[in-house]
Amino acid sequence: MKRLITILLLAVSCIAFSQSAEPILRIETGMHIAKSNRISTDAAGKYLLTSSQDKTSRLWDASTGTLLKIFRIPIGGITEGKIYACALSTDGKIAALGGLTGDEWDDSYCIYLVSTQTGNIIHRIKGLPTAIRDIEFSPDGRWMAAGLSDYGVRIFDTGGWGEYKKFEGYGSDVYNIAFKPGGGIATACYDGKIRIYNSRFELLTEKSGLGGQQVYSLAFNPMGNLLAVGYNDAAVVEVRDAADLSLLYKPSVKGAENEISGLLVLSFSADGSKLYAGGGFQKPDKDGYWKRVVRCWSNAGKGPYSDLLLMKNTILDIKALPNGSMAVLGSYPDIAIISSSDDVNWYMSAGNNDYSTIDKSHFRINSTGSSIGFTPYLEQAYSFDVLQRKLLGEQSLFPSPVEANAGTTVTEWQTSLNPTINGKRILFLESGEKCRSTDINNNGKQIVLGADWSLYLSDNNAGQIWKTSLPGEASAVNISGNDKVVIAAMKDGSIRWYSMADGKELLAFYLHADKKRWMLFTPSGYYDASPGAEDFLGWHLNNGPDNAPSFFPVSRFKEKYYRPDIIDAIFETYKEEEAITLANSRSTKKIVTGQSDIRQKLPPTITINSPSNGSNISSNTVSISYAINSPDDAPAKNLRVLVDGRPRQRIVAQRLRRCHIPASNESGVRPFWR
């Protein structure tokens, strides 16, 4: 009997850490849709790499902002696959990605090393004890460093990716690492200490922060004699001697004196003449819109400053490019390149609508849940009727959420760890999770709480009825008049319907920021879409922990999943399974439900091996090396090549993976392959 119990425990352990092979629905708009954390560049400044909590990393052309590649890693539940840190190798050929990565199946964390040309995972550094907060390559490309939560820093030799050194004795999270020009490294930790190591990675000195305890960012100047320091818990910027960490001077933070984490990320320009900073510090622009400020000081931080009002939310990273420009990443997410003259070369932001306003009265719903109203931040009001598929640029007249109703009152709920219901403290929110929104049903007996990563239903005695995980923060919630559904406006730009009976998701609505293209989809992937919006949704398929996942737009499976009738039936049954059954009973065609056939009906894919990403072709011909992954029962029969967006030549697919294509008579054209 004892042996049997041991075997059963081993079986449970294996199941707990296995990777799901089930297809996972993901929104895809061509830009990050969740908080972005880091930006990196190669030594030549040709590329930018960004990481995001949307579980993707993206490669951009630094000169134009053109998206070159989307890097996908294996993902799992709510947190598995969130990418906090990213770094480009000096030659731009490898993207190192880490965060909440690998824990779900390895019971430890990992860093994925991805080929920037193919998107394939070429190696995985496993066995890290906690989440990865920052990754940096040394200027000579020999070393890679990773900052961890609570467990210090790891140094890896890029020759074979083995661990070379551990920095231990850290008391909190390491949010930033900076390699010193010429050799050496500095680390920033929330334990309040700044540490300097020499080129052999031996500790030279450490000092506590003067301005605050949560040391967030560090930046060496190009000469390696100055170290700029930024804090998350103090409105101060310091420039220190890079040898002994003595304080040399404090750049002016005028206007941001009371802004905690106002100027928390720092970077010197490529020539060291300027110091740049950003964070939560914001000012209104000429039109009254509040923008996060990029501050630039002359004379390496000792001179006067200028402020550029630029990003929509907290600035979380700034990196210098060799040509004198600066790459800026905002958490919104948004990305910008500032020229050496502090002009904006290009700027792009997420295609999401932002529902995270303090006033939740804009968020409205009718009695059946089939019609909603919303007002994106600093924009006009809109309403959407699901059954009529009608989007109108006008305020909905349906009810807003309330914090007091029928004798029940919710207090202290806005961005709170401990809201109260009728004076009783709620105890069921997860540790560190903040309440963001609330609503009370008609009889005052049920209360919905939208939080950072969960949606809760409570009774009026502050007792939890159910909890359901969310894809992001619930910025606003509202219960339908018939108490059948609650809608939640999400940080990823979606609005989602959940059953009041059991908390199960029923439906999602995604409206692009252009206010023209929209999608409706169920958790099983049945959808309806406006023209041009069909590819905003796709299936993510894990291919094992060491392989890059596959991703296919739902339009590739339109014959099965384009089901407007199932969307309509949701508001008759308020259960997805019953809606599918009801819609199928009304359909004249044979319907097969379930996701099991997706892997059996995958379309062919193509990978370009050369030319490299973002190549400019000036000759009259270009040689293309490519690889085709084609299912046995659906072989690729031909390829279509586009040059400057126009078809040039049709190619019959052969075993040969190289073709010779006439490029153009124009110089500098970019070929595109589909």
Side-chain angles (χ1 to χ4, degrees), residues 258-277:
N258 299 317
E259 296 276 350
I260 303 301
S261 73
L263 297 168
L264 77 166
V265 293
L266 304 161
S267 179
F268 286 96
S269 59
D271 63 2
S273 64
K274 299 177 181 179
L275 177 62
Y276 289 82

Side-chain angles (χ1 to χ4, degrees), residues 413-434:
W413 59 268
Q414 288 205 15
T415 64
S416 169
L417 296 169
N418 301 111
T420 64
I421 296 176
N422 293 332
K424 294 182 179 180
R425 188 72 62 188
I426 291 172
L427 301 176
F428 50 73
L429 265 66
E430 292 188 29
S431 176
E433 186 178 30
K434 292 182 179 180

Side-chain angles (χ1 to χ4, degrees), residues 11-47:
V12 170
S13 177
C14 290
I15 292 170
F17 300 128
S18 63
Q19 185 185 88
S20 172
E22 288 297 310
I24 302 170
L25 274 179
R26 306 292 293 170
I27 295 173
E28 176 52 61
T29 66
M31 174 60 171
H32 292 301
I33 61 168
K35 180 182 178 181
S36 291
N37 297 88
R38 293 292 180 186
I39 194 165
S40 181
T41 186
D42 57 308
K46 183 177 181 180
Y47 305 116

Side-chain angles (χ1 to χ4, degrees), residues 578-590:
E578 293 183 9
I580 294 169
T581 301
L582 179 60
N584 287 345
S585 71
R586 296 167 175 170
S587 178
T588 57
K589 62 181 181 180
K590 185 178 180 180

Side-chain angles (χ1 to χ4, degrees), residues 173-487:
D173 296 356
V174 178
Y175 275 95
N176 200 204
I177 303 163
F179 277 98
K180 184 178 180 180
I185 193 170
T187 64
C189 183
Y190 264 27
D191 64 6
K193 292 183 179 179
I194 306 158
R195 296 168 172 89
I196 297 282
Y197 300 80
N198 63 19
S199 58
R200 295 183 299 277
F201 304 116
E202 300 164 334
L203 182 64
L204 292 177
T205 186
E206 65 178 46
K207 284 193 177 181
S208 296
L210 298 176
Q213 286 300 307
Q214 296 177 348
V215 187
Y216 188 84
S217 67
L218 301 167
F220 285 105
N221 69 338
M223 289 68 75
N225 63 317
L226 300 178
L227 182 69
V229 182
Y231 296 88
N232 182 57
D233 62 340
V236 63
V237 174
E238 301 169 352
V239 176
R240 298 182 177 225
D241 185 292
D244 62 11
L245 291 179
S246 59
L247 181 66
L248 299 177
Y249 52 91
K250 293 182 179 180
S252 172
V253 294
K254 185 177 180 180
E257 299 94 337
N258 299 317
E259 296 276 350
I260 303 301
S261 73
L263 297 168
L264 77 166
V265 293
L266 304 161
S267 179
F268 286 96
S269 59
D271 63 2
S273 64
K274 299 177 181 179
L275 177 62
Y276 289 82
F281 180 38
Q282 59 182 336
K283 292 180 179 180
D285 64 14
K286 58 183 177 59
D287 298 316
Y289 295 103
W290 287 83
K291 298 287 183 66
R292 266 57 177 190
V293 171
V294 177
R295 177 160 289 187
C296 173
W297 296 272
S298 62
N299 196 16
K302 289 186 287 188
Y305 65 84
S306 60
D307 285 343
L308 177 64
L309 281 58
L310 185 59
M311 313 302 273
K312 291 185 177 181
N313 211 329
T314 304
I315 297 168
L316 289 182
D317 210 358
I318 302 176
K319 290 291 196 307
L321 301 181
N323 64 2
S325 59
M326 306 295 293
V328 184
L329 181 73
S331 64
Y332 173 69
D334 45 3
I335 311 169
I337 292 291
I338 304 172
S339 71
S340 57
S341 57
D342 293 340
D343 297 316
V344 179
N345 283 353
W346 57 261
Y347 168 87
M348 70 175 66
S349 64
N352 298 347
N353 291 296
D354 182 3
Y355 304 118
S356 58
T357 57
I358 295 175
D359 180 5
K360 313 297 182 182
S361 65
H362 73 92
F363 198 49
R364 299 165 181 262
I365 189 171
N366 70 342
S367 60
T368 64
S370 64
S371 186
I372 58 175
F374 49 89
T375 306
Y377 181 60
L378 295 178
E379 296 187 43
Q380 71 175 81
Y382 289 86
S383 60
F384 185 76
D385 189 306
V386 176
L387 298 180
Q388 297 185 39
R389 310 296 199 267
K390 183 179 290 186
L391 178 69
L392 297 175
E394 59 185 41
Q395 176 69 63
S396 168
L397 300 179
F398 296 119
S400 300
V402 294
E403 58 185 25
N405 190 39
T408 293
T409 302
V410 185
T411 56
E412 302 177 49
W413 59 268
Q414 288 205 15
T415 64
S416 169
L417 296 169
N418 301 111
T420 64
I421 296 176
N422 293 332
K424 294 182 179 180
R425 188 72 62 188
I426 291 172
L427 301 176
F428 50 73
L429 265 66
E430 292 188 29
S431 176
E433 186 178 30
K434 292 182 179 180
C435 181
R436 304 288 178 175
S437 51
T438 190
D439 191 26
I440 304 170
N441 76 337
N442 289 325
N443 62 20
K445 294 182 179 180
Q446 294 186 326
I447 301 93
V448 170
L449 299 162
D452 286 334
W453 47 81
S454 297
L455 187 70
Y456 299 89
L457 183 66
S458 172
D459 60 31
N460 54 5
N461 288 314
Q464 180 180 322
I465 299 174
W466 53 249
K467 166 190 172 183
T468 191
S469 297
L470 299 175
E473 174 188 308
S475 300
V477 295
N478 199 333
I479 302 169
S480 62
N482 62 5
D483 286 349
K484 293 287 189 180
V485 293
V486 55
I487 54 170

Side-chain angles (χ1 to χ4, degrees), residues 541-556:
L541 285 79
N542 288 328
N543 295 317
D546 297 299
N547 300 308
S550 305
F551 185 84
F552 301 97
V554 292
S555 59
R556 296 288 191 97

